[in-house]
Amino acid sequence: MIDALLNFDFMRYSFLCGMLIGILAPLIGTFIVVRRLSLIADALSHVTLGGISFGMLAAKWLAPVAISPIWFGILFSVTGALLIERLRSVYKHYQELSIPIIMSLGIGLSVVFISLADGFNQDLFGYLFGSISAVTLADLLTIVAIFIIVVLFIFLLYKELFMLSFDEEYAQIIGVPKYLHVLFMLMVALVISASMRIVGILLVSSLITLPVASAMRFARGYKELMLWSVIFGEGSVILGLIFAFYLNISPGGVIVLLLIVILLCAILYQKKREQGGMLDEN
């Protein structure tokens, strides 16, 4: 493993990307889960798949135009985030409808574009479930840029995001601008686009929500929730990449399974702690 990191650029790119994503996805996930918008990650991941498949179709039809499918994925994901926000304002009393609508759009576009591009291939499989060998220097630089943007966004607007997450109506009353929610949705879209190379489009929502679900079992405050979420996410990504390397499989599935194990352990830990508290009271 150490030899591979020293000798192969793609291994270094993969691990650097994984470490950044292991921080980004759970960090943005704390705001998503608290706002009870977990399915947004699923919806945007399917829209991103539509963008990736469109990019691969464009590469087939316009071979001289060398544009990475990742950029189409980012474009579609950002557009999907804006559409969700727009539909939330249209269906004011049924805002959750915006999520399945956009998810259905993403699935439909993906099926059509994949069919036109002559079905699945190895590149698309890597986008779906993650890949170690497919990460390039351009991917790393893109993820670094997204990491800087998202972290600065959260750091500079933490108080506003905190209020918006726990009580959106109160946040508007005290003057938190409405466009902040739109910007937050764009950050979610960027994180999903950044994570797809390592975790895979179909599994990226797990890296956003599962570490938070585990941390909620024993975190005693919001900042502690963020810290434990990042620890669980980072640990699962690093271990997942190591196991994927030695087993020669896609890292996305391994990362998700590790997150499930962490979640089960967190649930068992909470139950034992509650049982111990009841015994102390008796």
Side-chain angles (χ1 to χ4, degrees):
M1 184 68 183
I2 302 298
D3 291 338
L5 287 172
L6 294 175
N7 296 323
F8 298 106
D9 290 337
F10 72 88
M11 288 296 299
R12 291 193 291 272
Y13 299 155
S14 296
F15 268 79
L16 289 173
C17 288
M19 292 177 68
L20 294 177
I21 291 166
I23 296 173
L24 269 189
L27 191 62
I28 203 77
T30 56
F31 296 101
I32 293 175
V33 172
V34 168
R35 296 187 67 181
R36 300 180 182 179
L37 296 174
S38 301
L39 289 178
I40 281 181
D42 277 316
L44 292 181
S45 63
H46 285 81
V47 174
T48 303
L49 176 59
I52 292 295
S53 54
F54 176 79
M56 300 181 78
L57 178 63
K60 175 186 174 183
W61 286 353
L62 305 171
V65 181
I67 301 177
S68 173
I70 289 181
W71 291 106
F72 288 102
I74 293 174
L75 176 61
F76 274 55
S77 184
V78 169
T79 303
L82 295 175
L83 288 175
I84 287 177
E85 182 58 26
R86 176 58 181 167
L87 288 173
R88 276 167 55 88
S89 64
V90 172
Y91 295 97
K92 293 183 178 179
H93 301 292
Y94 303 95
Q95 293 184 349
E96 69 278 2
L97 272 176
S98 62
I99 298 175
I101 290 173
I102 298 303
M103 183 183 293
S104 301
L105 173 63
I107 294 172
L109 290 175
S110 301
V111 172
V112 171
F113 292 146
I114 290 172
S115 299
L116 292 174
D118 295 333
F120 289 88
N121 55 41
Q122 190 62 34
D123 289 338
L124 185 57
F125 186 86
Y127 283 114
L128 288 174
F129 304 108
S131 174
I132 293 178
S133 60
V135 181
T136 64
L137 178 59
D139 296 332
L140 175 60
L141 295 176
T142 301
I143 292 172
V144 168
I146 292 174
F147 179 86
I148 294 172
I149 292 170
V150 174
V151 170
L152 284 176
F153 175 79
I154 293 175
F155 178 77
L156 295 175
L157 299 171
Y158 172 78
K159 292 182 179 179
E160 290 81 358
L161 291 172
F162 180 84
M163 289 185 288
L164 193 63
S165 298
F166 282 93
D167 195 333
E168 188 171 346
E169 293 182 358
Y170 176 72
Q172 293 178 357
I173 291 173
I174 63 175
V176 175
K178 293 182 178 180
Y179 67 80
L180 184 60
H181 180 73
V182 179
L183 292 177
F184 174 75
M185 295 292 289
L186 294 179
M187 295 302 108
V188 175
L190 290 177
V191 170
I192 290 174
S193 301
S195 305
M196 61 187 173
R197 265 306 197 188
I198 298 296
V199 187
I201 295 170
L202 298 183
L203 303 173
V204 64
S205 61
S206 301
L207 185 58
I208 291 175
T209 56
L210 289 181
V212 185
S214 300
M216 291 177 73
R217 296 299 88 198
F218 53 85
R220 291 170 293 183
Y222 194 78
K223 290 185 178 180
E224 190 173 331
L225 174 68
M226 297 175 72
L227 175 62
W228 280 109
S229 298
V230 169
I231 290 173
F232 291 148
E234 188 76 3
S236 63
V237 169
I238 293 175
L239 289 175
L241 289 173
I242 293 173
F243 285 136
F245 173 78
Y246 284 111
L247 298 175
N248 194 26
I249 57 178
S250 297
V254 182
I255 292 171
V256 172
L257 290 177
L258 288 171
L259 288 171
I260 291 293
V261 171
I262 293 173
L263 177 60
L264 292 176
C265 291
I267 293 172
L268 291 174
Y269 170 79
Q270 184 190 36
K271 287 186 177 181
K272 287 186 177 182
R273 189 175 64 175
E274 290 176 351
Q275 290 174 356
M278 294 176 62
L279 290 174
D280 291 339
E281 290 178 0
N282 294 332

